[in-house]
Amino acid sequence: MVTAKGLPWILRVNDLYVEFWTHDGVARPVNGLTLQVGKGQSVGVVGESGCGKSVTALSVLRILPKAARISGGKIELQLRDGSTRDLTQLSTNSNEMRRIRGGEIAMIFQEPMTAFSPVHTIGNQLCEAILLHTDCDEKEAKERSVESLRSVGIPEPHVRIDEYPFQFSGGMRQRAMIAMALVCNPRILIADEPTTALDVTVQAQVLQLIKQMQSQIGLALYLITHDLGVIAQMVDYVYVMYLGCIVEEGGVDDIFETPLHPYTRDLMRSIPTVSGERKPLSTIGGVVPNAYSIPSGCSFHTRCKDMQGEVCRSERPAPRRFGESHRVSCVLYEDAAR
Amino acid sequence: MNTKTADDILRVEDLKKHYAAEQGFFRKANTYVKAVDGVSFGIQRGETFGLVGESGCGKTTVARLVLRAVEPTDGDVWFKPQGKEAVNLVHLRPRELKGVRKDMQMVFQDPFSSLNPRLTVFSIIAEPLMAHKWKANEQRQRVAELLELVGLSSRDMRRYPHAFSGGQRQRICIARALALSPSLVVADEPVSALDVSVQAQTLNLLNELQNTLGLTYLFISHDLSVVRYVCDTIAVMYLGKLVEQTAVDQLFTAPKHPYTSALIASVPAPNPKKKWQTQTVRGEVSAGGNGVQGCDFAPRCPYKVDECIHKVPGIRNLPASGAKHEAACHRAQELSLKGVE
Ligand SMILES: Nc1ncnc2c1ncn2[C@@H]1O[C@H](COP(=O)(O)OP(=O)(O)OP(=O)(O)O)[C@@H](O)[C@H]1O
Ligand SMILES: Nc1ncnc2c1ncn2[C@@H]1O[C@H](COP(=O)(O)OP(=O)(O)OP(=O)(O)O)[C@@H](O)[C@H]1O
Ligand SMILES: [Mg+2]
Ligand SMILES: [Mg+2]
């Protein structure tokens, strides 16, 4: 099985369901989500706040909060040795899962401070990760830590390595977090809004750095963001997510040039751009339903400008193929699909 | 930057706010964080004046100084409500300030924490009315009117903030800010915490309200696409100082400060075919303030020359460009920098 781009896959999420059991009832932030990441591929996931982007990523790493459980589906990972594991079957704290986190899949978060402990030096934290995932001794681990900071463009890494996270500026912390994520040569990097807190000039540098690392070590990127500009510039394949499922997917050119799903089209039209005209922005009607009461049928029907009536309320549309690698789940395209 | 247009509703002159820095590992005693360091601008009645710059450059501090929520270290803030004399807010006593304040209101970045969860929407919006001793039935009527104005329903009055989405909460904040019919609204990152779709609704609402009520906005944001969309005039801030100021189209098409040009070029275009400039400036913001002799931007500037390292650039008027255009760069006149295509 290969991905739409013809690359062999290394991560494949299939019909995933996640539930949260809370005082207010059961929230279902992920509802039958399917996506895959090819070897060395850059994949982007976009969607409004609360649509389940982060919960999906946390599921893959098996670091969901206690109240959550994976209630259906598979998360298959191809390991270095060519064998496949279904991560939903591993226990969160198993040795194998621990090795996978950091060793096979690494993650960077929106707020870099959360990735570091404030009471240990950056160097100690890097060394610890290296010692956990490799056979290095302490001296080698230290050398590798310095090297990893150098590789992400931190000046005087042999000095900075003994500093604490608070001594780094926002952009430097983000770089250090990337160094930390990549220090054990993972094969997939999950980046959840990695640059939202940064100035555009620093954002550009940090994202460029991720791209460089990708081409150097053949890393696959799973990028989560609601910034369509970042998506357009960083990834080659896009998944559009709405209320916990994928409504459209395709090559980045397809998605930006011929968005098909009414939700994707609305999303594209609602963003102001630096070169845009000053006319009223188009908006998506209504409000995002919450994860406690996902609408029936096509979950977007409550806000859709192209609602086709009963069929949208009652039937969940299946993904239809358009050309090489473009797929959309919407009744508008039932007949037109090729 | 103080062209004294007769119809400026707000004029800020050489405003400064220095905080004593905490003594720590690296900071010596008696150093200051120069959060705002000599800022001057004028806002015309009815326009939207944008203040942009990266995190920590001093935008919020400017907003708070304008409303005199913090005391300036130095400088003047002239405010001129419609048909009244200009007053210098810096010299007003608290009682006088209260009278002026109803004419200028603030909308904050975070619609989640800026509403008291224990108060009903009515109490939240009516709070400024109560402070100005409105009668109960007038309050009710005004709140109903305001809710309709911002696209909510008068029935929402009895509900609590948790029952509303982020975009709806921001509407409640806007309704509260408009309660006393201010002429100037200071909006500090009003859409940054909102989702793209909700952001568009809120920006459209702010534009509509400006048209119907003749409001003037001081609009603070770090998002260039957003300021491009809502502002008439833009000032770019870097480390506590304004580095460039001009009309919106002029700024985006013909920037005169290398920092502005770098900001514009760094915005990733939502179009995969457009090339993205990722190496516009070197490194990151210097700690700034203390001990820097030349231009604060020089360490990162690709165009720096010796002069930039030794001499602080004053603000230059660039009359050649037609519209009023000011930039604090030694090379503003000679460089031809790139804007949006
Ligand atoms: N700890 C939790 N307890 C209960 N529900 C939760 C919890 N965390 C997330 N959820 C639910 O899962 C949904 C999806 O959340 P998630 O964080 O994945 O959204 P997201 O797409 O990452 O949004 P954002 O763009 O704002 O980061 C939320 O709407 C919420 O209802
Ligand atoms: N009360 C204070 N005491 C000391 N320093 C302060 C105080 N308030 C602000 N500062 C400092 O002043 C500088 C400017 O802060 P300000 O909040 O105005 O920035 P900003 O441009 O609004 O940033 P952001 O985009 O992150 O909101 C920062 O370096 C900040 O740490
Ligand atoms: Mg998230
Ligand atoms: Mg601020």
Side-chain angles (χ1 to χ4, degrees), chain B residues 50-248:
Chain B
L51 191 57
V52 296
E54 64 201 325
S55 182
C57 73
K59 305 180 295 295
T60 298
T61 309
V62 168
R64 295 169 61 86
L65 288 167
V66 162
L67 297 170
R68 227 182 111 189
V70 292
E71 295 295 323
T73 305
D74 198 7
D76 299 306
V77 179
W78 291 95
F79 180 59
K80 188 176 181 302
Q82 187 95 55
K84 292 186 199 146
E85 280 301 297
V87 286
N88 187 347
L89 301 183
V90 173
H91 300 313
L92 289 190
R93 276 185 285 264
R95 282 241 334 271
E96 300 165 314
L97 204 54
K98 188 179 166 196
V100 181
R101 277 236 179 92
K102 73 181 188 35
D103 251 332
M104 45 198 321
Q105 291 291 329
M106 182 130 174
V107 177
F108 297 94
Q109 170 165 0
D110 188 356
F112 297 93
S113 61
S114 56
L115 297 176
N116 184 338
R118 279 181 291 273
L119 297 182
T120 60
V121 168
F122 172 79
S123 314
I124 290 169
I125 300 177
E127 193 194 301
L129 302 174
M130 293 175 200
H132 281 83
K133 310 224 159 32
W134 283 46
K135 289 203 196 75
N137 60 335
E138 286 171 1
Q139 284 181 18
R140 199 151 294 277
Q141 203 182 340
R142 178 70 180 148
V143 171
E145 202 176 283
L146 287 162
L147 284 169
E148 306 279 340
L149 187 66
V150 298
L152 295 170
S153 144
S154 53
R155 282 187 314 243
D156 290 329
M157 231 185 258
R158 284 184 295 271
R159 302 168 70 192
Y160 288 86
H162 70 80
F164 295 87
S165 71
Q168 291 172 323
R169 287 184 214 193
Q170 198 57 294
R171 286 168 190 258
I172 297 170
C173 296
I174 293 169
R176 176 176 58 185
L178 297 179
L180 295 165
S181 310
S183 40
L184 177 69
V185 174
V186 177
D188 187 5
E189 307 259 12
V191 296
S192 305
L194 303 179
D195 231 334
V196 269
S197 58
V198 184
Q199 172 179 316
Q201 292 171 10
T202 311
L203 292 174
N204 287 343
L205 173 68
L206 287 170
N207 269 349
E208 272 166 44
L209 290 172
Q210 177 163 52
N211 294 338
T212 47
L213 305 175
L215 298 172
T216 306
Y217 293 130
L218 169 53
F219 189 99
I220 295 175
S221 178
H222 67 270
D223 187 333
L224 289 171
S225 319
V226 169
V227 293
R228 171 85 202 244
Y229 173 71
V230 293
C231 297
D232 302 298
T233 306
I234 294 179
V236 180
M237 196 165 177
Y238 189 77
L239 288 177
K241 295 187 176 114
L242 295 190
V243 295
E244 183 160 7
Q245 190 184 146
T246 189
V248 60

Side-chain angles (χ1 to χ4, degrees), chain A residues 80 98-107 125-136 141 144-145 148 151 176-189 213 217 219:
Chain A
R80 261 174 234 278
R98 255 184 246 262
R99 267 199 309 277
I100 288 171
R101 283 193 287 267
E104 299 274 349
I105 312 174
M107 181 154 174
Q125 299 185 52
L126 285 167
C127 283
E128 196 180 318
I130 296 170
L131 292 173
L132 176 73
H133 290 284
T134 65
D135 309 323
C136 291
R144 232 168 114 173
S145 307
S148 76
S151 70
M177 184 164 63
I178 293 172
M180 176 91 159
L182 300 184
V183 76
C184 302
N185 292 324
R187 301 203 304 157
I188 305 175
L189 176 67
M213 300 306 250
I217 61 177
L219 180 75

